[in-house]
Amino acid sequence: QVYVVFSEELKCWCRARVESVWRQTEGYQLRCFLVDYARYCSVASEDIRVVTGAFAKIPHRAKKCCLHCTKPLTLHIDYCENTAKIGPAKRWDSAAIQHFRKLLE
């Protein structure tokens, strides 16, 4: 389901998919993926609207994707044995993401 949310960072209304919802003291916060900007943002529940009409039928400019057969790696440090080895990880770390973005530029 695609909604329209107001992005404080971009200062405009954007189409988004809601990834998660959590309760705050003053209402609910939503973590959203902006389908036309390939960014994540957090918005208050008051800043979300339902998409209607032809606006809902416009194709998304950004799509979530992954690298084929590429698995995240991380550096495992064993302080007891004073060794460091590269091994599999569950998620990409921020340094690897930054490096990949620099390569794309």
Side-chain angles (χ1 to χ4, degrees), residues 59-102:
H60 304 156
R61 293 179 57 201
K63 294 189 187 250
K64 283 185 168 183
C65 60
C66 62
L67 299 173
H68 180 68
C69 294
T70 304
K71 305 287 183 193
L73 299 174
T74 191
L75 186 63
H76 297 282
I77 300 173
D78 187 346
Y79 292 105
C80 295
E81 295 182 19
N82 200 21
T83 60
K85 296 177 185 173
I86 293 179
K90 292 182 181 179
R91 299 184 61 169
W92 291 99
D93 61 14
S94 58
I97 294 169
Q98 272 185 333
H99 179 68
F100 183 70
R101 285 183 178 158
K102 285 180 184 177

Side-chain angles (χ1 to χ4, degrees), residues 6-85:
F6 187 77
S7 169
E8 290 290 333
E9 180 183 351
L10 299 172
K11 302 288 186 226
C12 65
W13 289 90
C14 309
R15 292 184 301 163
R17 283 201 170 117
V18 176
E19 298 283 318
S20 62
V21 179
W22 67 94
R23 184 152 175 75
Q24 297 279 318
T25 55
E26 299 148 4
Y28 290 94
Q29 280 292 115
L30 301 105
R31 179 170 162 78
C32 300
F33 177 72
L34 305 179
V35 296
D36 293 320
Y37 295 94
R39 291 185 183 179
Y40 287 93
C41 70
S42 294
V43 296
S45 57
E46 305 87 47
D47 295 333
I48 187 168
R49 306 287 186 270
V50 176
V51 179
T52 59
F55 190 52
K57 294 179 173 58
I58 299 171
H60 304 156
R61 293 179 57 201
K63 294 189 187 250
K64 283 185 168 183
C65 60
C66 62
L67 299 173
H68 180 68
C69 294
T70 304
K71 305 287 183 193
L73 299 174
T74 191
L75 186 63
H76 297 282
I77 300 173
D78 187 346
Y79 292 105
C80 295
E81 295 182 19
N82 200 21
T83 60
K85 296 177 185 173

